[in-house]
Amino acid sequence: MPNVQHGFAKSKPIYVGIDVHKRDWVVSVLCQGEELYHATVVPDPAALVRLLKRFEATEVHTVYEAGPTGYWLHDALVEASFDSMVTPPSLVPRIGGKVKTDRRDSRKLASMLAGGFLRRIHVLRPEERAHRQLLRTRNQIERHRRQTQNQIKSLLLFHGKRAPASLRERWSEAYLTWIETLSWEYQALKISIDAMLKMYRDLTEQYKQLTHEIELMALTDKYRERAHLLTHIPGIGIFT
């Protein structure tokens, strides 16, 4: 262990600030206001757990900021019986100047954790996070689908293609068939519109499949009662 006072933390609580990055983690360990350890380590939860257990502390309190790296580090720390806090970056108090370094960030987190100045977010269980991802993916597919619709409409408008008055319902099968059977002066335009239509159809199929999966999930024992209560409120449905 670099920069560590062996034995100092034995039978005492330690406070660990972790500045999490994609390629490495910067770790600072404090005990009774003293920095016992500071180093850049590989992003390996098992290795970090082994490192922290070597302090033989009575309590291990850890903190890192919520971000794109998710919660798998939190899961590993909790599994090791450590107190793991994930804190929102927007609520971390600013102290000192604007100079930002990994060492300052990790030590600041550890110090504020020890002082009780940080707030923790509620971290969903892994299964619940998986279910939420299904909802998030459906929303992303829906946005991509709307973008594709707008691109198709823009292309038709740009080249003066107007749907007949009889096609009142846009994006029906009849409307898509009308677009597919349009005649174009140049083959490149035909290839372009066909590619967009294929993308729209593929996204629509994925959207329907995800919708079905979420409807089934709402009927499981885990969510049935809550879904039933919520959907009986006027204006609220499964996807509202």
Side-chain angles (χ1 to χ4, degrees):
M1 274 187 198
N3 188 29
V4 62
Q5 302 176 39
H6 292 279
F8 184 85
K10 189 173 183 179
S11 301
K12 301 172 186 174
I14 60 174
Y15 299 88
V16 185
I18 311 168
D19 195 30
V20 177
H21 300 277
K22 179 180 179 180
R23 293 182 174 83
D24 55 44
W25 298 337
V26 183
V27 180
S28 293
V29 179
L30 299 185
C31 181
Q32 295 183 340
E34 296 291 330
E35 184 178 89
L36 305 186
Y37 178 86
H38 172 82
T40 300
V41 302
V42 296
D44 181 351
L48 180 60
V49 168
R50 289 194 299 268
L51 184 152
L52 296 178
K53 284 185 175 180
R54 291 173 59 184
F55 285 94
E56 299 182 88
T58 54
E59 301 171 5
V60 179
H61 303 274
T62 68
V63 63
Y64 70 94
E65 294 181 340
T69 54
Y71 305 109
W72 47 281
L73 172 57
H74 168 81
D75 295 338
L77 295 171
V78 170
E79 187 176 355
S81 299
F82 297 162
D83 171 42
S84 173
M85 175 189 290
V86 181
T87 189
S90 60
L91 296 183
V92 175
R94 294 185 178 182
I95 298 178
K98 297 182 179 180
V99 178
K100 177 179 173 66
T101 66
D102 295 339
R103 183 184 181 94
R104 286 190 178 189
D105 287 346
S106 61
R107 195 181 195 289
K108 181 178 74 172
L109 286 172
S111 178
M112 290 186 172
L113 177 65
F117 298 113
L118 298 177
R119 295 179 61 179
R120 68 176 70 221
I121 65 172
H122 173 65
V123 179
L124 297 176
R125 296 176 181 177
E127 182 187 30
E128 293 170 331
R129 299 202 299 265
H131 293 164
R132 180 167 290 186
Q133 182 60 53
L134 191 63
L135 293 164
R136 188 178 294 116
T137 301
R138 178 183 178 272
N139 290 338
Q140 291 169 342
I141 293 294
E142 185 179 19
R143 285 197 299 271
H144 293 326
R145 185 166 167 261
R146 286 200 301 266
Q147 289 171 354
T148 304
Q149 287 177 327
N150 291 333
Q151 290 167 351
I152 292 172
K153 289 192 296 185
S154 295
L155 190 149
L156 295 174
L157 177 64
F158 190 82
H159 293 281
K161 303 294 185 179
R162 299 183 63 180
S166 58
L167 290 176
R168 296 180 180 178
E169 184 180 351
R170 295 295 182 262
W171 308 108
S172 63
E173 191 58 38
Y175 179 70
L176 296 176
T177 300
W178 169 76
I179 298 175
E180 288 175 332
T181 56
L182 284 173
S183 60
W184 298 89
E185 185 178 0
Y186 299 102
Q187 182 64 14
L189 294 176
K190 173 65 173 172
I191 294 173
S192 297
I193 196 68
D194 285 349
M196 290 183 184
L197 286 171
K198 183 180 186 307
M199 184 183 300
Y200 173 78
R201 288 185 182 277
D202 290 345
L203 290 171
T204 298
E205 183 60 31
Q206 293 176 33
Y207 179 77
K208 290 179 180 178
Q209 291 176 1
L210 292 171
T211 297
H212 179 64
E213 291 296 329
I214 294 170
E215 289 172 339
L216 293 178
M217 189 170 67
L219 296 176
T220 61
D221 293 340
K222 184 176 182 65
Y223 298 110
R224 183 186 298 112
E225 184 177 355
R226 281 179 282 177
H228 175 76
L229 290 173
L230 287 171
T231 52
H232 275 67
I233 299 174
I236 294 182
I238 291 177
F239 301 102
T240 300

